[in-house]
Every structure is written in structure tokens, then in C-alpha cells.
Amino acid sequence: MDSLKFPESFAWGASTAAYQIEGGWDADGKGLNIWDTFTHQGGDRVFKNQTGDVACGSYTLWEEDLKCIKQLGLTHYRFSLSWSRLLPDGTTGFINQKGVDYYNKLINNLLAMNVTPLVTLYHFDMPQALEDQGGWKSEKTAEVFEQYAKFCYATFGDRVKLWITINEPYIVAKLGHETGLFAPGIKEPGIGPYRAAHNMIKAHAKAWHAYNTLFKKKQKGHVSIALDSDWAVPLDPKSMDDKEACDRYLQFRLHWFANPIFIDGDYPAVMKSEISRKSKEEGLVTSRLPEFTDEEKSLIKGTADFFCLNYYTSRKVKPLSIKSSGPSFDSDMGAEGIKDPEWPESGVEWLAVVPWGLRRLLAHIKDTFGDPDIYITENGFAQSEPPVLQDKHRWGYFQETLSEVLKAIKQDGVKLKGYFAWSLLDNFEWNSGYSVRFGLFHVDFNQPNLPRTPYFSAIEYAKVVKGNELIYN
Ligand code: NOJ
């Protein structure tokens, strides 16, 4: 059936991130990063005080990962570089050659297998030495990030043609700098996330320009940023309050980053007006949302060669019911998202399975951000403990999702270029540790050689990749 076919040269991938799989936290001269520090602090910041010290052991077992990639028949593999493995204190003052060697091996072997690397520069793991100087809260970090990006383009860019600067800046801002649930564990509600986001957007723009002016002509690659978002619908579609809350929900998540980068170099109007109004009520003379200068706006606008979307779930939205005592991101947004109890839940509490939400979100991106080429750089479903190898229900979710993806391409005309499952392997799921399993391959963390075994989903995904079509048995 032709209608189940994906477009020719569709990219089929799986994604991982350095801290979540590599281990080797202090191997061969790697510097500390904020997740090393955060997990080593204990205090139940992470499920059972687990750490990424060993994780999937990919720093030494990378050939095992390549076997998994081969078994899936992937055309693309997305992974991230550990900044502090390459530059132990975050700066180019000292380069850790062993780190460079590691990524060279990985990249060269992927290319030898005909697998295209999609490389993320920053996936949640700020070098601790830079965090000590303010991390994303400091404007200087944007400059240091630009140097790091240039170093990576110069070192790997002869072979890597697809780059992501920063993964999920929303999560970095909100969980890292508002609630403190993620490293660096900063709890500065209503202030921290806006500052961190401001500097991440500038860092991204600088890194994009560095590529564009210094490397693009020769290396001919493409640079983007990976944005995560729920899809959102009003809880009561007839309620004006719910509709407005729903719009704010999307503006404060996806548009916070996508407006500056894809539209006009600036934050969404509703973020500017709401945060400024609230700041005035609090007696502040300036808004808690920093402003971009005109020069910065023109630097930021148009700094993505394609759109990378991480999609997991959707929400029904209504105005916020519980007001916090002080300032907070949620009260600025004035909206809350609710899971429809009808939606199936996967192995993690926040992930309600809503495949049609992805189709709607893709159409929204097409219509709002200039019909860009889009890659789904993450999508997946977790299992909780104990995981089952025969994860038929999970494959069902993948099938439903891929069917919505096909509709987005064929019926809505979305220029979707690829799909990356999260994740290649079960891995360290941040503050949930190893209790949540997103892998296509099961990893036995109790055995010293950390064996990888395909789930049913991996076997079925390989069939889809091979045929470039959705298959129902
Ligand atoms: C998005 C993040 O990029 C990734 O690191 C995480 O494991 C998945 N979501 C699943 O929560």
C-alpha cells in the first residue's frame, strides 16, 4: 500500500545523550560537569541516588552501540558531545585529546556504516568549571559556548554535517533554574529560567553565525536547535478563558524559543506583556524577562537551518488555579496543563500517549514558523520496572505515532525529513535514574558488561526502517 510509504530519503534515526549513556565520568581526563556534581551530592535528587558514572558504559562499549544501530538499519544516529570530556574546564585553553579521539572513533565508524551523525553540542551537561562562573545565568557563557562550538566544527565538521546547538532549552531553563529538579539545581522561580533562556538563545545564535560565516561554505552543513513542546488544546473548547490559557501555554513553551529564532528575534508578545505586568505589581522597576537589544534581535532572527522537534505528550489547558506566593514561571504563564484520563499513560507519570497531538503540533509549526524542514529529533515511550522484552503495547504507540507522522506529511504537507526514536538504549533518565526505560534496546544494568538486547519494538522498528514504510501485522 503506497499510502504507508515514507518519502524517499527519509531519515530514520535513534537518539542518545552523552551523560545518559557514556559513563566514564572521570575517565581519561574528562572534566566534571553539573550532572556529575548533582548526582554525587546525593540527597535523593535522583531516584535511589543513582548516577551516570557508569550508565550504559558507551565510553568503552561504543562498538556495542554500533551493533544496535546496525541491527536497526538506521540511516542516522543522534548523539551529543560531552563538553567537559572535550574541554575539561569548558574553555579551549586545554583540549583533552582522548575525548577528541573518542568522538572521532564514533563518527568515523558511523560513516563507515553509512550512518549520518546528527550531533548535539549541549545536552544538559554544563562543565562544572563554567557553572562555577554562573553557567547559563552568565552572559559570558554564551561567548564560551561559541568558542566550544567553533572548536567542534573545526574538529569534527569535515565529517559531521548536521548540528544541534542546544537540546531542550525549555527544560534546562525550567527544571534547571526554576524548580531545581535537574542540575544545576537552581531554585529561582520567575527569574532564573528567563535569565538562563536569554543566554542560551544568544549562545545558540552566536554558534549558528560562527558556522555560517566561518565553516558553512567549506563544510556545507546545517545547524539548528532542538525544541521540545507538548501539544495543547483548551480543556473546554468553548471557553474563552481556556482558549487563551492554551495559547499562553504554547507561547511560554515552544514560542519562547521559536519566536526569536524563527520569527523576529524577540520573545512572544504575551510573555513580554504578562511578565512585565506582574513585575510591576511586585514593585520591580524592570521586567523579570530580560530584553534583547535591536542588535541582538537581528543577530538571533533566522538562526536555524531546519526545525528540530522533541515531542512526547499533550495537555488540556485551563487558567492556573493555584497561585504561588512569590513570582513563578507558572503564574506568569497563568495556565495549567491537565492529562485527559482517557489517554493511556506510558511508564512515566508525565507521558500520556497522544499521537494525534504530534500531527497537530507539526501543522502548527509549519503554519507559524515559515514551513521549515522539520526533523522529529526525539519521540518515545517509557517502560517502568520491570521492563518486558515483548513490549507490544509500546510498539503499538510507535505505530500510532508513525501513522500520524505519515498524515502530517501526506495530508498536511509538512516538510518532515526524519524521525528519531528516543532512545537507542535504556539509559540514565535524569532525576528518574534507571527506573524509567526509553530504550529500543534493553540494557541489563546489573551485569558488568551491560548487555544490550532488542525489545520487540526494536525488531519492528527495524522493519519499518528497512521498508521505509509503516507495517501492520
Ligand atoms: C528529552 C531529553 O532530551 C532526554 O534527555 C530525555 O531522556 C527524554 N526527553 C525523555 O524524558
Side-chain angles (χ1 to χ4, degrees), residues 20 123-124 167-168 310 312 350 378 422 429-430 438:
Q20 295 181 274
H123 198 124
F124 301 176
N167 178 68
E168 300 195 347
N310 294 356
Y312 287 91
W350 54 267
E378 283 184 35
W422 183 269
E429 176 59 16
W430 309 115
F438 273 98

